[in-house]
Amino acid sequence: MRNRTYQFWGRLFAVLCLSCALQDVLADAGATPIPPEIGNRDRGYLPTNAIPDSLGLLPLPPADGSASFALDLIYAQKSFALRNTPAWALAIQDADLSFPNAASAYACALGVPVDEQHTPHLVKLLKKVKQDAGAATGAAKDRYKRPRPFMVNDARFCTPDDRARLEAGGSYPSGHNAIGMAWGLILAELVPARADAILARAQAFGFSRVVCNVHWYSDTVWGRYLGAYTVAKLHADRHFQDELSQAKDELDDLSEEAVAPNRDCVAERAGIEAQKPLTQ
């Protein structure tokens, strides 16, 4: 009788432990929203409670009539002159955060190909960081629901097929900028000799959203901050550190082999150069 009692309580305890574990996993997987323009809800490195708090860290988006919004309008107006230029073509390419396209966004800056064949560990890292940095923008996007520039100025934007997704996700802060800056900072750490080129590409990746007329300038600024905050959090994660080391080994090996990037670097340079009127 006593043995049966012990067996009963042992089984009950095991079931309760399994139930608690499942609840923790489900809560961790679904509590942080991923903006609809960022992509699916695959897991990144960070647990929900480690994702940067965009509501607590960021100021309110610029109000109508404020000096900050006046600057947003100036940048938007400048972007209109970049239609049908290399900057516009680059903005269309940078808008696509799906893989494999997004994996090679920094190939020219790195001077090597970035794809599943040459850098599988780096591609895996970029995918996971995308989820973490994108998730960091979700709370503020949901709370403020800031209308995007094309919804205000009724001008062309570079990815009209994405209208429904873009309108469903708030403009502030920019998820593309959070992701692009997070990628840039990590890659600059991996290849410090090319840090300036990598960070310049990160800046251009962000400005592409202004060129595209889907983000205000202030969206891009605060999106970059969130990208940096995300990277700071990532460095405390053991799995991130492990894959960072593996990605570095891949890039070091490739640099010795002198393999050409898997992007049109001439067109990319032309696009970055054509962006310069935005900041003048």
Side-chain angles (χ1 to χ4, degrees):
M1 182 70 175
R2 181 176 297 178
N3 288 339
R4 291 181 181 178
T5 301
Y6 288 157
Q7 290 175 1
F8 168 78
W9 286 110
R11 290 170 182 170
L12 179 60
F13 180 75
V15 170
L16 288 174
C17 288
L18 179 59
S19 176
C20 290
L22 286 172
Q23 288 177 10
D24 289 343
V25 169
L26 291 173
D28 190 42
T32 301
I34 301 263
E37 73 275 17
I38 299 304
N40 60 36
R41 293 177 180 268
D42 290 341
R43 291 292 304 279
Y45 293 102
L46 299 176
T48 298
N49 61 4
I51 296 292
D53 175 18
S54 54
L55 286 177
L57 290 167
L58 270 54
L60 296 172
D64 290 353
S66 66
S68 295
F69 188 57
L71 183 61
D72 283 343
L73 292 173
I74 289 172
Y75 271 89
Q77 185 67 40
K78 285 184 175 183
S79 76
F80 297 160
L82 302 181
R83 304 291 193 273
N84 303 320
T85 70
W88 185 255
L90 181 62
I92 293 172
Q93 187 174 39
D94 287 347
D96 183 3
L97 283 175
S98 67
F99 285 75
N101 176 74
S104 61
Y106 287 80
C108 295
L110 288 165
V112 297
V114 181
D115 54 28
E116 292 281 1
Q117 177 186 351
H118 296 92
T119 58
H121 290 293
L122 179 57
V123 170
K124 181 180 179 182
L125 182 144
L126 294 175
K127 286 181 178 179
K128 288 190 173 184
V129 170
K130 169 189 167 182
Q131 298 304 318
D132 290 327
T137 68
K141 282 178 174 288
D142 288 347
R143 172 68 62 85
Y144 302 127
K145 300 186 185 301
R146 188 184 193 189
R148 295 177 182 272
F150 71 84
M151 299 165 65
V152 175
N153 56 37
D154 201 31
R156 289 173 58 200
F157 60 104
C158 73
T159 54
D161 290 343
D162 290 337
R163 176 182 291 273
R165 279 196 303 128
L166 291 168
E167 290 180 345
S171 188
Y172 179 86
S174 168
H176 272 73
N177 275 262
I179 294 166
M181 183 53 67
W183 284 344
L185 291 172
I186 291 167
L187 292 171
E189 179 181 346
L190 291 175
V191 191
R194 302 186 71 94
D196 285 348
I198 293 166
L199 294 175
R201 180 64 179 108
Q203 179 169 289
F205 191 86
F207 274 130
S208 279
R209 304 308 282 163
V210 178
V211 174
C212 191
N213 196 34
V214 295
H215 274 296
W216 304 102
Y217 173 68
S218 57
D219 301 337
T220 70
V221 171
W222 291 105
R224 291 173 196 165
Y225 272 103
L226 277 178
Y229 298 157
T230 302
V231 173
K233 292 287 193 79
L234 283 167
H235 275 83
D237 185 88
R238 177 175 58 83
H239 298 295
F240 170 76
Q241 290 285 3
D242 290 344
E243 289 180 357
L244 190 71
S245 177
Q246 292 172 321
K248 180 171 176 54
D249 289 342
E250 289 177 340
L251 291 172
D252 288 347
D253 290 343
L254 273 178
S255 66
E256 296 176 0
E257 296 174 15
V259 185
N262 55 331
R263 278 258 173 153
D264 184 344
C265 296
V266 173
E268 183 177 291
R269 283 195 296 271
I272 294 173
E273 184 69 23
Q275 286 184 354
K276 288 186 176 180
L278 278 178
T279 57
Q280 296 171 349

